[in-house]
Amino acid sequence: MEKLSELKIMEYKYGSKEEREQHVKWMEHQGFECSEQVKKSDGSLFEENRKFYWYGKFK
């Protein structure tokens, strides 16, 4: 048996834009790649007033 690859994905929820920006810089310095998505909601797509939060996804 031979493992060809492994993918680790880490997701973070932030309290502010500044917190996200600082953490993204640190993670990228550590060699991780950040997705382009900056905000996310756990609510339904059909909700009119969904609440969004600052978000980061790294691999």
Side-chain angles (χ1 to χ4, degrees):
M1 173 178 14
E2 177 183 357
K3 182 191 286 188
L4 299 177
S5 68
E6 180 175 289
L7 178 62
K8 183 175 185 177
I9 297 176
M10 294 172 282
E11 296 179 282
Y12 293 89
K13 184 181 206 177
Y14 304 100
S16 68
K17 179 180 180 179
E18 294 77 22
E19 180 184 26
R20 181 190 183 279
E21 288 174 348
Q22 184 179 19
H23 187 247
V24 167
K25 285 180 186 177
W26 185 81
M27 290 292 283
E28 289 178 338
H29 181 73
Q30 299 299 312
F32 292 96
E33 182 181 319
C34 184
S35 72
E36 297 296 320
Q37 185 176 358
V38 296
K39 285 199 168 181
K40 185 174 181 177
S41 173
D42 293 331
S44 167
L45 292 174
F46 301 105
E47 286 181 40
E48 287 191 30
N49 296 318
R50 289 190 298 163
K51 291 185 180 181
F52 288 86
Y53 52 86
W54 293 100
Y55 170 79
K57 182 177 181 180
F58 301 88
K59 59 178 184 175

